[in-house]
Amino acid sequence: MISLVRELSTKDIELLKKLAPECAGLVCSGSRAPYRSILPPVSNHYSRDEEDFRRRMSLLDTGELAYLVSLIRNGEESLGCVPPQYIEVFLGIVEEKMGTQTAEELLMVYLSGRECPPGNVIDLK
């Protein structure tokens, strides 16, 4: 279950700044709520398109990616409103660096906890 009261840790903020160095604050410009996760703001506010998102996610080393995966596994990192095309990119990177089993596990997390309306079906190849 996702903790709605989560505050980003120092490590989370470092990752967010690495993925989106242009991030000037930790508040969503649309909702004016503080960021509670890393992937939703990177995908929805800072990435221009899927290729830009891929470039940003490729900046993560294996340890940083493993940390992000651990946050997803324990419900602290929300995948809910990350658009399907960006999840597909993210899962591809996870599959490359951490294996198919981990990517499939995260796909199930994404599909079971989506907060946004269903759209495209994601298929790991």
Side-chain angles (χ1 to χ4, degrees):
M1 175 173 273
I2 297 169
S3 172
L4 297 177
V5 295
R6 175 178 182 232
E7 290 186 27
L8 296 180
S9 70
T10 302
K11 186 170 185 168
D12 298 334
I13 294 167
E14 288 172 6
L15 281 181
L16 180 59
K17 297 288 187 175
K18 181 174 186 173
L19 296 171
E22 68 274 33
C23 174
L26 299 175
V27 175
C28 174
S29 58
S31 70
R32 303 204 189 275
Y35 291 142
R36 303 288 186 195
S37 292
I38 299 164
L39 292 173
V42 173
S43 64
N44 291 312
H45 298 294
Y46 300 107
S47 296
R48 292 183 308 275
D49 55 28
E50 292 91 6
E51 280 308 309
D52 185 40
F53 185 73
R54 181 183 324 278
R55 180 191 61 75
R56 291 171 188 269
M57 290 295 115
S58 295
L59 296 172
L60 297 177
D61 64 34
T62 304
E64 293 165 331
L65 186 61
Y67 172 74
L68 196 52
V69 167
S70 74
L71 292 176
I72 294 166
R73 283 178 169 149
N74 70 24
E76 292 183 66
E77 176 67 20
S78 173
L79 298 178
C81 279
V82 177
Q85 64 272 25
Y86 291 92
I87 285 293
E88 203 164 350
V89 168
F90 178 69
L91 294 177
I93 291 170
V94 169
E95 185 172 26
E96 287 171 25
K97 293 186 176 185
M98 299 184 72
T100 301
Q101 184 175 358
T102 301
E104 288 174 349
E105 176 189 352
L106 297 185
L107 174 59
M108 293 297 101
V109 170
Y110 178 70
L111 293 175
S112 68
R114 292 187 61 189
E115 298 162 11
C116 295
N120 302 331
V121 174
I122 298 170
D123 182 29
L124 289 178
K125 296 177 183 169

